[in-house]
Amino acid sequence: MIRKMTPTLRLVLLSIVSLIFWPTTVVKGEDPYIFFTWNVTYGTLAPLGTPQQVILINGEFPGPVINSTSNNNVVVNVFNNLDEPFLITWSGVQQRKNSWQDGVLGTNCPILPGSNYTYHFQVKDQIGSFMYYPSTAMHKAAGGFGGLHINSRLLIPVPYPDPEDDYTVIINDWYTKTHSALRNMLDSGRTLGRPEGVLINGKNAKGDGKDEPLFTMKPGKTYKYRVCNAGLKTSLNFRIQGHGLKLVEMEGSHVVQNVYDSLDVHAGGCLAVLVTADQDPKDYYMVASTRFTKTVSTGKGIIRYEGGKGPASAEIPEAPVGWAWSLNQFRSFRWNLTASAARPNPQGSYHYGQINITRTIVLANTAGRANGKLRYAINGISHVNPPTPLKLAEYYGVADKVFKYDIMQDRPPASDKAEIVMQPNVVNITFRDFIEIIFENHEKSIQAYHLDGYSFFAVAIEPGTWSPDKRKNYNLLDAVSRTTIQVYPKSWAAILLTFDNAGMWNIRSEIWERTYLGQQLYVSTLSPGRSLRDEYSLPDNSLICGIVKDMPKPPPYTL
Ligand SMILES: *[C@@H]1O[C@H](CO)[C@@H](O)[C@H](O)[C@H]1NC(C)=O
Ligand SMILES: *[C@@H]1O[C@H](CO)[C@@H](O)[C@H](O)[C@H]1NC(C)=O
Ligand SMILES: *[C@@H]1O[C@H](CO)[C@@H](O)[C@H](O)[C@H]1NC(C)=O
Ligand SMILES: *[C@@H]1O[C@H](CO)[C@@H](O)[C@H](O)[C@H]1NC(C)=O
Ligand SMILES: *[C@@H]1O[C@H](CO)[C@@H](O)[C@H](O)[C@H]1NC(C)=O
Ligand SMILES: *[C@@H]1O[C@H](CO)[C@@H](O)[C@H](O)[C@H]1NC(C)=O
């Protein structure tokens, strides 16, 4: 499938081959380790003025940044000091051969209150900006999220000069209700309604002249801002008064470097921009405001010029209106084909436009009722997590006692009014198949999807209904390889990817009330030989729960 190997690609492939033995046989020439110990606790903060319960990591809200370099082994020992089971997922980090560390309920037993679990994963050549966040319950509504950077090793050049500094910007919609109150609303069949505000790094500037700056810039210097939307559901427009945003990277891909006045960052999405401090030396507002909502809610933060004088102007630049603007912006995002940085998807879909599609899966969101209560579904199936994680059931050879494969069709039911079925939703995908997934949004609100374990080529988003003849409109040359995609109301989005990463992987709506109420599924892709070449064995420290708890551990995979 790989026609021409670039030197970088060859390097990447070599480093992958050299990793096959990890982690069961640890030894020489190993890649560097970075260690973190995280204490997850409740705390009280007042991000919008009223004190409320939040989730802290080592006392921080948002949590600490993981600043890694490609090939680092990242080891995070997470102590759950909440009163509920908890997991963190590393959004967008590919976890090659290692769905064991994905931190979702289909792959991991939750970390019980008062106990800990040590995640161990290796970040590969996805040079870029990512985040982590809680995957359990509605914990994400209270915090527990933060930035995760993967920097380039020195031998792989990055297509822009080293910035003066590297800043992490977590933007999110915010509710003043606790995560348990929000969860109770969903459990009782109600929707969450509108968020009460927007935060930038856990705060919203008051604008009374006393706000502490979030960031400072030296006049004349250029800074990298990595922006991630960790919110529950709202797309946010990001902008900085008086400054252009030069887009350089999205979820691990270097892009063609256009300058934007503002950028829409959809739920679950991350991007990096360069900003040059080339204006009058004073304060400026960084702004994140809600998109596609009846009333616009705005979060602000101060950026201060070092040695600058004067407050930020109270005049906030206007946000764009409507979703056509956003769709046009999506179409302007292009992969930089000449950037010599590592390819985000080095396993073979580099010339993705020339690979024959082996399977097309059309996934449509549906909302409806099951047992009299609101549920969200994909193709009529509303996913429920069984007490035994799907991946453990599969590994222990007792999948048939926990779930059925392939209960969902590859096409949506003829009517959106079709009954919603609550069941674990696991799709069996043949290892290394090149697959087209169409996300259809039949509803009036914006949707966003995320796929764990992979980057995919986001080849099209269009209004209306998808049909095979729409393939002629796909970007088969320089679509950005990324890990989330938004789907506008009454529109569809198409992605292409090779399922070459064995494991059990979550596809979910990034609209969190939807994913909580079942709008997610898992794909199981296993290599035929169950070889260590393709997937790691169950790690020794894995938490074991459900029906496999007292079963003998299956023998590890072999080469
Ligand atoms: C975590 O934080 C809690 C609350 O501050 C504290 O009681 C506990 O000792 C901390 N645990 C660790 C492992 O630091
Ligand atoms: C992150 O790591 C890179 C590479 O080691 C280093 O150059 C950079 O200064 C670090 N950034 C921060 C914000 O610590
Ligand atoms: C929990 O933390 C201890 C160190 O404090 C560590 O030895 C142990 O392996 C951790 N448990 C898991 C399941 O990772
Ligand atoms: C793409 O990357 C190359 C190589 O680093 C760089 O010189 C070029 O400016 C980038 N192109 C665009 C359009 O951003
Ligand atoms: C793709 O399909 C076309 C038409 O069926 C066929 O001619 C071509 O050889 C296939 N290409 C590959 C790489 O399999
Ligand atoms: C999944 O698909 C593969 C390849 O088509 C097949 O060999 C395997 O039996 C399927 N597994 C299940 C559980 O259906």
Side-chain angles (χ1 to χ4, degrees):
M1 276 197 293
I2 304 165
R3 305 234 154 54
K4 253 188 256 158
M5 272 207 231
T6 62
T8 313
L9 189 56
R10 203 174 299 124
L11 187 87
V12 168
L13 288 174
L14 277 176
S15 60
I16 283 159
V17 169
S18 67
L19 270 165
I20 286 168
F21 295 91
W22 182 84
T24 38
T25 50
V26 177
V27 261
K28 12 172 198 191
E30 240 197 330
D31 292 308
Y33 276 72
I34 52 174
F35 295 95
F36 302 86
T37 304
W38 281 2
N39 191 3
V40 180
T41 63
Y42 291 122
T44 304
L45 288 174
L48 292 178
T50 317
Q52 66 182 109
Q53 186 187 62
V54 296
I55 291 176
L56 307 172
I57 297 178
N58 295 350
E60 293 179 47
F61 170 82
V65 174
I66 291 185
N67 185 31
S68 68
T69 298
S70 58
N71 285 355
N72 280 174
N73 287 291
V74 181
V75 180
V76 193
N77 193 351
V78 177
F79 288 81
N80 175 11
N81 283 306
L82 309 179
D83 55 358
E84 293 170 357
F86 181 78
L87 281 174
I88 280 177
T89 189
W90 319 94
S91 176
V93 177
Q94 271 185 29
Q95 312 283 15
R96 293 214 64 91
K97 308 180 209 169
N98 203 2
S99 61
W100 304 114
Q101 308 297 337
D102 201 27
V104 288
L105 287 169
T107 57
N108 292 73
C109 301
I111 311 170
L112 296 178
S115 68
N116 68 301
Y117 170 66
T118 312
Y119 291 87
H120 180 175
F121 56 92
Q122 189 171 36
V123 294
K124 301 302 298 180
D125 286 311
Q126 293 176 275
I127 313 303
S129 310
F130 305 92
M131 66 180 149
Y132 60 85
Y133 53 74
S135 68
T136 33
M138 287 297 288
H139 294 135
K140 197 184 184 193
F145 43 69
L148 195 164
H149 309 165
I150 306 177
N151 296 290
S152 175
R153 279 164 296 151
L154 288 176
L155 68 165
I156 301 174
V158 163
Y160 48 87
D162 257 1
E164 181 69 15
D165 211 338
D166 190 323
Y167 291 141
T168 306
V169 186
I170 303 287
I171 55 178
N172 58 282
D173 55 13
W174 188 252
Y175 290 81
T176 49
K177 292 189 180 67
T178 61
H179 76 274
S180 24
L182 295 172
R183 185 175 54 205
N184 290 343
M185 288 169 72
L186 296 176
D187 288 345
S188 67
R190 283 176 292 160
T191 57
L192 295 187
R194 252 181 278 138
E196 273 99 29
V198 175
L199 306 183
I200 302 183
N201 285 357
K203 299 190 176 80
N204 180 22
K206 290 201 188 68
D208 57 4
K210 291 183 205 138
D211 298 300
E212 283 301 311
L214 293 178
F215 306 104
T216 54
M217 301 201 287
K218 293 184 184 128
K221 300 289 186 194
T222 297
Y223 293 78
K224 177 151 76 177
Y225 288 89
R226 304 182 188 248
V227 187
C228 289
N229 183 340
L232 289 189
K233 63 176 181 187
T234 316
S235 297
L236 297 172
N237 182 266
F238 177 80
R239 52 204 189 273
I240 298 176
Q241 279 180 328
H243 292 76
L245 310 171
K246 185 192 267 191
L247 185 68
V248 291
E249 174 259 325
M250 283 185 120
E251 294 157 23
S253 291
H254 294 308
V255 296
V256 167
Q257 297 173 7
N258 297 318
V259 179
Y260 298 87
D261 289 334
S262 73
L263 284 155
D264 277 352
V265 190
H266 303 279
C270 288
L271 48 82
V273 294
L274 297 182
V275 176
T276 300
D278 55 5
Q279 299 298 307
D280 280 351
K282 60 181 196 79
D283 285 0
Y284 293 89
Y285 279 123
M286 168 182 278
V287 182
S289 63
T290 60
R291 292 281 276 135
F292 325 120
T293 49
K294 275 205 194 87
T295 51
V296 175
S297 182
T298 302
K300 300 195 297 273
I302 297 280
I303 299 181
R304 179 160 296 166
Y305 275 47
E306 225 175 86
K309 286 209 172 50
S313 152
E315 231 168 280
I316 302 294
E318 290 280 320
V321 178
W323 57 267
W325 183 94
S326 195
L327 175 57
N328 281 336
Q329 182 166 78
F330 165 82
R331 288 181 175 147
S332 74
F333 300 149
R334 299 298 168 103
W335 203 16
N336 183 341
L337 296 176
T338 58
S340 53
R343 300 295 158 192
N345 189 1
Q347 269 60 41
S349 45
Y350 176 33
H351 292 290
Y352 68 94
Q354 294 159 34
I355 305 170
N356 288 338
I357 293 166
T358 36
R359 180 171 172 188
T360 298
I361 303 175
V362 184
L363 300 177
N365 53 348
T366 42
R369 292 192 168 264
N371 307 326
K373 283 183 186 162
L374 175 68
R375 292 291 298 187
Y376 293 103
I378 295 179
N379 290 2
I381 314 287
S382 186
H383 175 79
V384 286
N385 287 305
T388 310
L390 308 164
K391 181 65 188 171
L392 282 182
E394 193 176 64
Y395 188 79
Y396 276 77
V398 292
D400 59 330
K401 297 203 169 61
V402 173
F403 66 93
K404 272 207 201 71
Y405 291 94
D406 297 324
I407 53 164
M408 189 190 72
Q409 306 293 308
D410 277 5
R411 296 290 182 280
S415 161
D416 288 340
K417 300 267 163 8
E419 200 189 333
I420 284 181
V421 181
M422 283 172 68
Q423 252 179 48
N425 190 356
V426 184
V427 178
N428 178 22
I429 287 190
T430 307
F431 189 55
R432 299 213 168 103
D433 266 8
F434 187 69
I435 294 190
E436 173 188 46
I437 299 178
I438 313 297
F439 294 109
E440 289 187 347
N441 181 2
H442 296 175
E443 299 179 38
K444 282 186 283 190
S445 54
I446 184 140
Q447 178 63 276
Y449 283 101
H450 177 86
L451 167 54
D452 285 355
Y454 295 93
S455 295
F456 50 73
F457 294 97
V459 293
I461 304 179
E462 284 193 10
T465 313
W466 180 84
S467 57
D469 65 308
K470 305 282 185 185
R471 289 185 185 129
K472 66 181 186 310
N473 302 343
Y474 287 3
N475 176 354
L476 293 180
L477 178 69
D478 58 0
V480 180
S481 174
R482 50 186 300 184
T483 65
T484 62
I485 190 161
Q486 70 274 20
V487 197
Y488 301 100
K490 308 274 181 197
S491 300
W492 55 269
I495 66 169
L496 298 175
L497 73 153
T498 304
F499 277 85
D500 56 3
N501 190 15
M504 177 73 74
W505 302 108
N506 190 217
I507 298 183
R508 60 176 169 267
S509 171
E510 283 291 322
I511 313 298
W512 216 246
E513 61 199 276
R514 289 175 170 269
T515 203
Y516 178 75
L517 290 179
Q519 207 156 72
Q520 54 172 311
L521 57 85
Y522 283 83
V523 294
S524 164
T525 177
L526 292 173
S527 75
R530 305 279 171 113
S531 165
L532 258 189
R533 239 181 287 273
D534 302 317
E535 189 176 10
Y536 300 136
S537 301
L538 177 73
D540 290 342
N541 74 331
S542 285
L543 305 176
I544 309 293
C545 56
I547 61 165
V548 300
K549 193 162 179 27
D550 298 315
M551 289 173 62
K553 261 191 196 174
Y557 295 151
T558 49
L559 283 175

